[in-house]
Amino acid sequence: RTAHAARQLGREVRRYCKLRHPAIVHCYGVAVDAPTGGVGGGGGGGGGGDDDGEPMLVTELMGGGSLAAALSAARDAGTRLPLPTALRVLSDVASAVAHIHDERYSHGDIKPANVLLVAGIDAGTGGFAAGTPAAPHPVAKLTDMGLSLSLSPSSDEEPLYRSAAVESTGPAAYGTPAYLPPEGFRGCLRGGSGTQGALTAAAPADVWALGVVAWELLTGEVPWAGANVLQVACGVCNDGR
């Protein structure tokens, strides 16, 4: 918990506020978890301890869990999501991405783990649980704005905070390797807001990632299953897949 990380959290909250949309998870603000070393928590002296508590985002409740969990459950059941279910989820995510781009931002990390469901999906039938809202109300919402970039050259927003752990991951530091386009591995997305490479590549990178999510929804397969980051990078950059 550094000052940089705190500013990054504030940056993400501001992004949620700017990008309100029915298919984007609603963020209410920030809360701080109770400290671990409070009164009666040990450490002597009855003081507050050294831990000031963990800041966290407060969002609407999404009772269906993540799309990643739903896809995994379907695979475990030896099936995949029916086409109507897959298309409805994909339509919701696509509408969220379109809104983000219309507002001149990118998302930066589109993947099933960052898609939350209003209601659960039955692993056996692939249908939505009872009580799922009917269209046009969304059943899937995009979340996690931590890697979002402004696509406006004049933006003076807080730059992305890169920890030592992120720096050590190499060229795929922004985004998730299995969902990155070739330019993501070539370093075009690393510069942050305001750099020409990021401004040019960020929105198309979202479209690429959305395509990978669509492929996963329709096939039920995990992209690049069993491959390490280097193998994914070589496959995407050299084979164009």
Side-chain angles (χ1 to χ4, degrees), residues 37-225:
V39 176
D50 296 328
D51 193 338
D52 294 328
E54 294 283 353
M56 64 184 76
L57 294 177
V58 180
T59 69
E60 65 177 306
L61 176 64
M62 299 294 289
S66 72
L67 177 60
L71 288 168
S72 177
R75 282 191 293 271
D76 291 344
T79 185
R80 59 188 181 193
L81 300 185
L83 185 59
T85 300
L87 291 180
R88 188 171 178 196
V89 169
L90 186 61
S91 176
D92 289 341
V93 179
S95 69
V97 174
H99 174 72
I100 292 170
H101 291 178
D102 285 345
E103 295 295 320
R104 302 296 297 150
Y105 292 97
S106 69
H107 181 274
D109 198 17
I110 297 170
K111 58 185 179 182
N114 285 338
V115 175
L116 302 182
L117 303 172
V118 174
I121 295 177
D122 185 273
T125 66
F128 291 105
T132 301
H137 299 287
V139 293
K141 300 189 181 188
L142 198 55
T143 189
D144 192 349
M145 298 294 176
L147 295 182
S148 174
L149 295 177
S150 170
L151 304 181
S152 300
S154 60
S155 173
D156 59 354
E157 69 174 10
E158 180 76 18
L160 283 171
Y161 168 64
R162 295 189 294 184
S163 66
V166 169
E167 289 285 4
S168 69
T169 61
Y174 292 133
T176 301
Y179 302 87
L180 278 178
E183 55 267 36
F185 291 102
R186 292 170 182 150
C188 297
L189 301 176
R190 289 176 62 84
S193 298
T195 63
Q196 189 58 46
L199 293 176
T200 302
D206 281 350
V207 176
W208 173 287
L210 181 63
V212 179
V213 172
W215 179 85
E216 190 170 354
L217 274 165
L218 296 173
T219 67
E221 299 295 327
V222 178
W224 301 101

Side-chain angles (χ1 to χ4, degrees), residues 10 16 113 179 195 197 229 236:
Y16 273 111
Y179 302 87
T195 63
V229 174
V236 169

